[in-house]
Amino acid sequence: MATLTIQDETATGGVLHRIELEVQQEMLTVRELIAQRVHQEVAAYNNRQSGIFHGLVQPTDSERVLNGFRMRQPKPIDAEQQLYKALEGFRQNGYFVLVNDRQVETLDEEVWLGAGATASFIKLTPLVGG
């Protein structure tokens, strides 16, 4: 088992959030990486069900705050719904992923996540009026 460092970054390189993810296998597809990340984020929030949700995508019925998302009503977040949004966000270029400083292109691409591996999720901001 290895520990993978995941960073959420802005397009200009600013780090928004950093988490450690325990991965069982050294080789995963990007789809599996995103799924493990989303399930860990949702489980962490659902265990405490309060405060700010730090996640890849915004949950339904939440509002964006400085460092994450605040649920309007305290309730569990649906992990499968979050995963669907995260995978769709990747397909629609809402964010891109760098694994070991190399951009991955597809959800089915296999990546190495052994000791010392890193993954950066670069969130893109849509242009206003474009």
Side-chain angles (χ1 to χ4, degrees):
M1 182 179 333
T3 301
L4 172 67
T5 300
I6 295 178
Q7 293 187 151
D8 288 338
E9 299 179 20
T10 64
T12 59
V15 176
L16 301 170
H17 184 66
R18 180 176 286 134
I19 61 172
E20 301 290 324
L21 179 68
E22 296 292 327
V23 291
Q24 301 294 324
Q25 304 164 261
E26 285 192 349
M27 294 296 290
L28 290 177
T29 65
V30 175
R31 180 186 319 276
E32 292 166 332
L33 170 62
I34 292 170
Q36 286 191 22
R37 176 201 169 142
V38 167
H39 283 101
Q40 180 174 310
E41 292 169 344
V42 170
Y45 178 82
N46 286 344
N47 285 338
R48 67 177 191 279
Q49 281 194 27
S50 65
I52 305 299
F53 173 70
H54 300 282
L56 181 57
V57 293
Q58 183 171 358
T60 302
D61 201 28
S62 69
E63 60 186 352
R64 183 179 299 277
V65 293
L66 183 61
N67 291 319
F69 308 100
R70 182 186 326 273
M71 299 302 291
R72 289 189 175 96
Q73 299 291 325
K75 64 178 182 176
I77 294 173
D78 182 340
E80 292 308 311
Q81 186 177 38
Q82 285 299 103
L83 178 56
Y84 175 80
K85 287 180 178 182
L87 294 174
E88 192 60 26
F90 183 87
R91 286 187 200 103
Q92 299 294 321
N93 297 318
Y95 63 92
F96 61 94
V97 180
L98 301 175
V99 176
N100 300 319
D101 296 322
R102 187 183 62 77
Q103 184 174 347
V104 295
E105 302 294 329
T106 68
L107 290 171
D108 295 322
E109 185 174 337
E110 284 195 332
V111 292
W112 177 81
L113 301 172
T118 61
S120 296
F121 287 71
I122 315 301
K123 295 183 179 186
L124 304 175
T125 305
L127 297 175
V128 175

